Amino acid sequence: MPELPEVEVVKRSLKKKILNSIIKKVQIKDHKLRYKVEKEIGNKLAGKKIKSIKRRSKFLIFEIDESYLMLVHLGMTGKFFFIDQNKEKFKTSFYYLLNYQKDQKHNRVIFFLNKNRKLIYNDVRKFGFIKLYELNRTTSISHLNNLGPEPLEKKWNFKYFKTYIANRKRNIKNILMDQKFVSGLGNIYVNEILFLSGVRPSRVVKKLKNIEIERIIKYSKIILKGSIKLGGSTIKDFSSENGKKGVYQQYFKIYGRKDKKCSNIDCNNSVIKTSISNRATFFCKRCQK
């Protein structure tokens, strides 16, 4: 599943390609995504301009004219393809070979734009979704209402962290992946953050030392900024707006390194893989306490 850096790169890519475009019509090829795509979406969006594209946590937020807000979540395999006026196809999401026949099988929603361009939402496993809201009713969007601060925001600080975890008995990995506590982090980056912070994923949060909390906050910001700069990462090879493959996965210190030597130069231990809440979890028993 794409996490904050990957969705941020998609947002930036889409802003370059479709901001201020007019939606001419919408073709729904498959209504059955995670939530059923509204049949009237085409009538509601036809003739309207895409005024802004934002990101909140792992959600993409499109402001359409002064009428609607379109909320998109990419799920596990959701991605956008852009086709320009010369019918050239661009990747803005995961890295896949551009194969029209193969891709067409999983095209779910097509937005026809002015100047003979198209934006295609493609989703193999159909865990993503597209929802439309009236702009004056956006305060009722449940997907956004309960999100915690983002790791790159100033609100994600020691005081907030310390107050939130007081007397809680949950482990640190689970709480970092709880979008109500901090929004945008997922399994890959949490593994990386905890390794660099020297904290074992199974540690109970109320037992964390102040210095460990400070390290978690520090490395959250460093890792996410680094990943965004490098174009995002994913096991499926993320692709940024210019078609370059995301390369942050080449810098993984712990994720996916089961039985390999620990990345720390002075450690000879091997990386251990376990499961926490049914999610693959990697750690070094010497370097993470």
Side-chain angles (χ1 to χ4, degrees):
M1 177 183 291
E3 301 180 25
L4 187 155
E6 288 74 47
V7 181
E8 176 66 21
V9 174
V10 173
K11 181 208 75 176
R12 296 180 183 186
S13 171
L14 291 175
K15 285 183 73 173
K16 289 181 180 180
K17 287 180 166 52
I18 68 168
L19 191 63
N20 294 319
S21 295
I22 305 296
I23 300 172
K24 306 297 287 186
K25 69 174 183 177
V26 180
Q27 180 184 9
I28 303 173
K29 299 179 72 68
D30 191 341
H31 289 269
K32 297 178 181 179
L33 299 181
R34 179 175 167 188
Y35 304 109
K36 188 174 181 179
V37 181
E38 181 183 343
K39 289 183 179 180
E40 294 300 313
I41 191 172
N43 293 333
K44 291 180 177 179
L45 296 183
K48 292 183 168 54
K49 179 186 288 188
I50 301 172
K51 294 190 67 175
S52 73
I53 304 171
K54 300 177 182 179
R55 179 196 56 77
R56 176 73 170 103
S57 183
K58 303 174 189 177
F59 298 94
L60 291 167
I61 304 169
F62 299 74
E63 183 181 336
I64 313 296
D65 262 356
E66 296 178 358
S67 305
Y68 297 101
L69 184 150
M70 186 171 73
L71 189 69
V72 178
H73 193 283
L74 299 174
M76 297 292 291
T77 58
K79 55 191 175 290
F80 280 106
F81 289 129
F82 174 74
I83 299 178
D84 69 10
Q85 56 267 45
N86 298 317
K87 297 185 178 180
E88 185 177 357
K89 191 173 186 179
F90 294 88
K91 296 167 286 188
T92 62
S93 183
F94 295 111
Y95 183 82
Y96 281 91
L97 293 176
L98 293 179
N99 184 316
Y100 274 85
Q101 288 186 335
K102 185 177 180 180
D103 293 339
Q104 284 180 346
K105 180 179 178 181
H106 305 295
N107 290 343
R108 308 303 178 187
V109 182
I110 302 175
F111 299 86
F112 292 83
L113 308 175
N114 60 321
K115 299 180 181 180
N116 294 316
R117 299 167 301 149
K118 298 177 184 177
L119 180 68
I120 300 172
Y121 178 74
N122 181 291
D123 196 340
V124 176
R125 298 183 68 182
K126 302 198 294 185
F127 290 156
F129 67 79
I130 297 173
K131 285 188 174 184
L132 199 64
Y133 299 87
E134 291 183 11
L135 203 56
N136 59 2
R137 295 185 178 180
T138 55
T139 55
S140 63
I141 301 177
S142 60
H143 299 287
L144 304 178
N145 285 347
N146 297 317
L147 293 174
E150 299 205 355
L152 298 178
E153 293 178 341
K154 291 183 179 180
K155 294 179 182 178
W156 173 244
N157 56 38
F158 177 83
K159 182 180 179 180
Y160 169 80
F161 198 126
K162 183 78 172 178
T163 301
Y164 193 96
I165 67 171
N167 299 317
R168 292 181 185 264
K169 298 180 180 180
R170 298 171 65 188
N171 66 62
I172 182 58
K173 185 183 179 189
N174 277 341
I175 207 161
L176 285 177
M177 292 184 63
D178 185 342
Q179 302 302 297
K180 293 180 181 179
F181 171 55
V182 57
S183 61
L185 294 181
N187 196 42
I188 293 176
Y189 291 103
V190 168
N191 274 278
E192 293 293 300
I193 291 164
L194 291 176
F195 175 71
L196 290 181
S197 302
V199 177
R200 195 168 294 193
S202 58
R203 280 278 298 282
V204 176
V205 291
K206 70 177 184 178
K207 295 183 178 180
L208 289 175
K209 300 175 183 177
N210 289 348
I211 186 64
E212 292 172 325
I213 294 173
E214 290 172 349
R215 285 180 194 150
I216 290 170
I217 294 168
K218 172 186 173 181
Y219 285 113
S220 295
K221 297 179 187 295
I222 290 173
I223 289 172
L224 294 177
K225 287 179 181 178
S227 182
I228 291 170
K229 184 177 181 180
L230 291 170
S233 62
T234 178
I235 301 308
K236 293 290 187 180
D237 291 339
F238 187 79
S239 174
S240 60
E241 73 273 7
N242 58 6
K244 290 178 64 178
K245 185 163 61 176
V247 295
Y248 194 77
Q249 60 267 29
Q250 297 175 18
Y251 296 88
F252 285 167
K253 300 293 185 182
I254 195 78
Y255 188 86
R257 294 179 55 84
K258 177 186 176 184
D259 297 331
K260 292 183 180 180
K261 183 178 177 297
C262 175
S263 299
N264 287 332
I265 296 175
D266 60 346
C267 179
N268 292 317
N269 282 42
S270 297
V271 173
I272 297 171
K273 180 183 179 182
T274 186
S275 178
I276 293 180
S277 299
N278 297 316
R279 303 300 299 271
T281 304
F282 302 86
F283 69 97
C284 172
K285 65 180 181 180
R286 177 183 178 274
C287 298
Q288 292 171 265
K289 304 298 183 181

